[in-house]
Amino acid sequence: MDEEEALAARSMTSRSVVTGAEEEAAVIMASDDIAQLADALAKTHVGDGELSYKGLGLKLDDAESVEELVREIEQYQGLRALRLEGNTFGVEAAQAIAKALESKDLLQRCYWSDMFTARLRSEIPTALRSLGSALMSAGARLTELDLSDNAFGPDGVKGIEQLLKSPSCHTLRELRLNNCGMGIGGGKILADALIDCHRHALAQGAQFKLRVFIAGRNRLENEGARALAKAFQLMGSLEEVHMPQNGITHKGVMALASAMRHNPELCVLNFNDNTFTKRGTLAMVQALRHLRHVQVINFGDCLVRSEGAIALAAVLREGLPILRELNLSFGEITEASALVVAQAVMDKTHMENVDLNGNCLGEEGCEALRETMENMDKGDMLASLSDDEGEPDEEDDEDDDDDDDEEEDDEEVGDDSNEDDEEIVKENGVSRNDNSPPKLHSPAELTSFLSCPTVEELLRLGETRTNLMQQIDVSDPHEAADVLLKIASLYCEEPETKTAVLETIDDVLKKLFCGSTIQSYCFLSTLLVLMGFLKGEGKIKKVSLVPGQLLCLEHAVQQHYFSQHHAQLLNNFMSKNSDALKSFSAAREKLCSALEKRCNDQH
């Protein structure tokens, strides 16, 4: 053999050795994979009708990769729950599993979250359709379906659409679709599927009674929320609703609130990290009035703000008898409003946790809140205040209302009606206009008086002053507060005028306070906004205060219709803003003294 032949022979031998080594390594690797899968399957939990492959981290691409898993499913008699979460399945693997499920008519619970990691989004709907079709073919009757953390988008919802409409979901009680990236489109598809499921169930003499709905982090926004609200209202069976971090603003919140009213068994409401603002919060408050079984409210990071917090305090006083947890963290709530909330939980015997962290209390406000809770022997239920944002800057009082642009004009109606009165209103707001108007009787004339009251007109009304209340819409807190301040501005020490003003003030407040606590609290918070003691939403014109208004409040606080908790609410703000009333020191001292006395009454 010459030198070239020898070299060629050595090269062939070398390649044979390398090829053989590669083949051996491949066999070893394949053996390792099989061993790993076998070891993983050996760890599956089998029992109580449940077969679990939860969290094994398996990457199963094709039918061959799931042969052992499929065999276990096929051999499991009486399978009622299947856990596949924490693994990743390709289309072929999912189709193989689906084939095995076609005979599992007893299957009720499918825990299929986080099972498409690293898969193309286009693959997921096909895999879901296969699995859903298998469940329908088997005649399964599901009670729980969890597809959270799959990031399948609107197309993924299409993948389960037919399953959700089918008889297999007429029995569904819990639906979990957290962090699936559904978006507005997916939310609408889901809502339509739930509505169809409800209607089809009724047509077959059954009832679709979904109890738990979870769909956080899905960017549903207002349109998706509104679509789902229609489904929720139709079902009326919900006990838990979790929809955090969905980009929903007050319009979507209002639709959801309306739907919540039709679900009387609600226990848990979690809308964390959406944007309520005042209107959304008030809508939720109205819904909560009708719900007697709520145990958990999570409106954290929802921008409920101070007015919203006061309204929620009202519903706490008036309802929610078994509430255990209240989360109003990171909501731009100031000290005085936080104290109103704290005082409202005093009689909540089931309350375990109140979270007001991340608001705008300031160091002194945090200490005042802790002290208030401790004085009620409820200090241990107050969550940490370590992330408090500090007191808001005064210069921020007029901005930050861009989320309310569309309806601000409506809120301003009537604000400008007082502008032309300034020339004729003198000390304490008493008019010196000598042009005596004719005697007033008609509703139109009474309305005219309310828009621009004078002492002479008030006195001329005589006994017909009682008819004024018929012209005041007490359901509109802005109108009621505006009227009260205008009439109170007429106060003076002349006996006849003083009597007329105070009697009229009593009539107004009696009507306002004889209604719901929510009505009276919304009135008081609006009154505080107009007086400049509370930051409100929208472009609301503050009233130029005169001593007579404070003296009328001092009188009212001492009347039987002005309850102790109303006095506490007012006192929280007056004590915080006493410096703003320095120019009315005598009137301020009288009002503050009356408030303190009323707050400390033991009866």
Side-chain angles (χ1 to χ4, degrees), residues 215-389:
R217 300 183 65 189
N218 274 291
R219 296 304 306 175
L220 295 169
E221 301 184 13
N222 288 340
E223 289 185 58
R226 283 171 165 169
L228 286 166
K230 293 178 182 177
F232 297 161
Q233 183 164 327
L234 187 65
M235 291 185 293
S237 56
L238 291 169
E239 296 178 11
E240 294 186 27
V241 177
H242 302 260
M243 296 177 66
Q245 203 173 339
N246 270 296
I248 305 170
T249 64
H250 73 269
K251 292 182 178 180
V253 173
M254 290 169 75
L256 289 168
S258 180
M260 296 303 102
R261 294 178 61 167
H262 296 269
N263 289 266
E265 299 303 316
L266 268 170
C267 297
V268 178
L269 279 174
N270 177 7
F271 291 104
N272 189 285
D273 199 8
N274 290 289
T275 307
F276 281 27
T277 62
K278 177 183 174 181
R279 266 186 294 279
T281 308
L282 291 179
M284 278 294 175
V285 164
Q286 292 298 333
L288 289 169
R289 290 184 65 192
H290 300 270
L291 304 173
R292 306 293 296 176
H293 302 287
V294 175
Q295 298 179 40
V296 177
I297 294 174
N298 187 343
F299 294 164
D301 206 8
C302 283
L303 210 62
V304 301
R305 292 177 172 156
S306 293
E307 286 184 277
I310 292 173
L312 284 164
V315 80
L316 283 169
R317 287 198 176 273
E318 166 174 292
L320 303 173
I322 58 173
L323 188 67
R324 294 187 294 106
E325 298 179 23
L326 176 65
N327 185 344
L328 298 179
S329 59
F330 299 93
E332 293 190 3
I333 300 169
T334 54
E335 174 191 341
S337 296
L339 292 176
V340 175
V341 172
Q343 290 158 354
V345 304
M346 180 174 60
D347 297 324
K348 296 297 172 190
T349 56
H350 298 273
M351 187 67 78
E352 298 172 2
N353 183 267
V354 177
D355 192 346
L356 288 163
N357 193 26
N359 283 295
C360 305
L361 311 184
E363 289 185 18
E364 291 183 4
C366 288
E367 187 56 38
L369 180 59
R370 292 189 190 98
E371 184 178 340
T372 297
M373 294 294 286
E374 288 170 2
N375 288 342
M376 298 187 299
D377 198 25
K378 295 183 181 294
D380 58 342
M381 72 173 58
L382 181 64
S384 168
L385 299 173
S386 59
D387 296 315
D388 186 72
E389 297 286 340

Side-chain angles (χ1 to χ4, degrees), residues 427-577:
E427 184 180 4
N428 282 348
V430 178
S431 172
R432 303 305 182 195
N433 185 359
D434 294 328
N435 298 322
S436 299
K439 192 172 183 178
L440 303 176
H441 291 290
S442 72
E445 290 173 319
L446 292 172
T447 301
S448 177
F449 163 77
L450 290 173
S451 68
C452 184
T454 65
V455 169
E456 289 79 6
E457 290 172 342
L458 181 65
L459 295 177
R460 190 164 283 107
L461 283 174
E463 294 180 358
T464 61
R465 286 199 302 268
T466 57
N467 296 331
L468 282 174
M469 289 311 303
Q470 299 173 14
Q471 309 306 315
I472 301 174
D473 181 5
V474 293
S475 66
D476 181 348
H478 186 277
E479 177 184 331
D482 186 53
V483 166
L484 184 89
L485 288 172
K486 285 178 180 178
I487 294 173
S489 71
L490 305 179
Y491 179 93
C492 71
E493 291 300 329
E494 191 277 317
E496 186 179 9
T497 301
K498 179 178 179 179
T499 299
V501 169
L502 294 180
E503 286 180 351
T504 307
I505 293 293
D506 286 339
D507 288 340
V508 173
L509 291 177
K510 281 177 186 176
K511 186 171 182 181
L512 282 163
F513 288 170
C514 74
S516 68
T517 306
I518 294 172
Q519 176 179 287
S520 60
Y521 270 42
C522 286
F523 161 75
L524 286 174
S525 66
T526 305
L527 184 71
L528 289 164
V529 170
L530 291 177
M531 295 176 73
F533 298 146
L534 172 62
K535 178 182 176 181
E537 292 183 7
K539 298 176 183 177
I540 297 177
K541 182 183 175 183
K542 297 175 184 176
V543 171
S544 296
L545 295 179
V546 293
Q549 293 159 331
L550 304 183
L551 294 172
C552 284
L553 285 175
E554 181 245 343
H555 163 82
V557 167
Q558 301 175 66
Q559 307 310 307
H560 65 88
Y561 58 74
F562 211 104
S563 68
Q564 187 178 46
H565 63 89
H566 289 129
Q568 287 175 331
L569 190 162
L570 202 56
N571 191 48
N572 289 336
F573 286 90
M574 290 297 174
S575 59
K576 184 68 178 175
N577 293 275

